[in-house]
Amino acid sequence: MKRTTISVSEAAKKELLREMAKLQLKWGKKVDFEDVIINLVVRNRRRPELLEEACKPVEGVHPDLVIKSLVEERKMDVEREERKAR
């Protein structure tokens, strides 16, 4: 599956992390941002403005820094999953 990068504000990231924690407790497994976003899309199909607000570009944030941060965070996720699998 091809991946892409989105940029969110710190406030939106905090809300996504809160939702992530709720889903992890509810589902009993680790979830990622994609799981959270898909869940929000499905749950809030009648309120698309919520997803648009969470995914709009953030002024003053350079895309290269965002990509670097996401790549680093994803690497840590993969390493953590590999350690758990051992």
Side-chain angles (χ1 to χ4, degrees):
M1 175 188 326
K2 185 174 181 192
R3 296 279 184 181
T4 189
T5 302
I6 62 171
S7 176
V8 298
S9 68
E10 283 298 316
K13 182 179 177 182
K14 285 180 184 178
E15 291 302 319
L16 289 169
L17 288 169
R18 280 191 187 108
E19 191 64 28
M20 185 181 289
K22 290 178 192 176
L23 289 177
Q24 287 181 171
L25 287 172
K26 181 178 178 180
W27 295 350
K29 66 176 188 173
K30 185 176 184 333
V31 299
D32 58 20
F33 284 110
E34 183 172 357
D35 296 323
V36 175
I37 292 169
I38 295 298
N39 183 266
L40 289 170
V41 168
V42 170
R43 218 173 56 201
N44 295 301
R45 286 191 191 265
R46 294 188 183 121
R47 298 187 61 200
E49 70 278 1
L50 294 177
L51 181 61
E52 289 174 19
E53 176 65 25
C55 296
K56 73 180 181 182
V58 178
E59 288 185 36
V61 177
H62 195 279
D64 289 344
L65 295 176
V66 174
I67 292 168
K68 181 181 176 185
S69 174
L70 289 172
V71 168
E72 289 172 0
E73 287 182 35
R74 185 63 185 148
K75 270 187 197 175
M76 290 188 298
D77 286 344
V78 169
E79 290 169 358
R80 191 171 19 257
E81 289 299 315
E82 288 173 352
R83 284 194 303 271
K84 282 184 182 179
R86 291 184 210 158

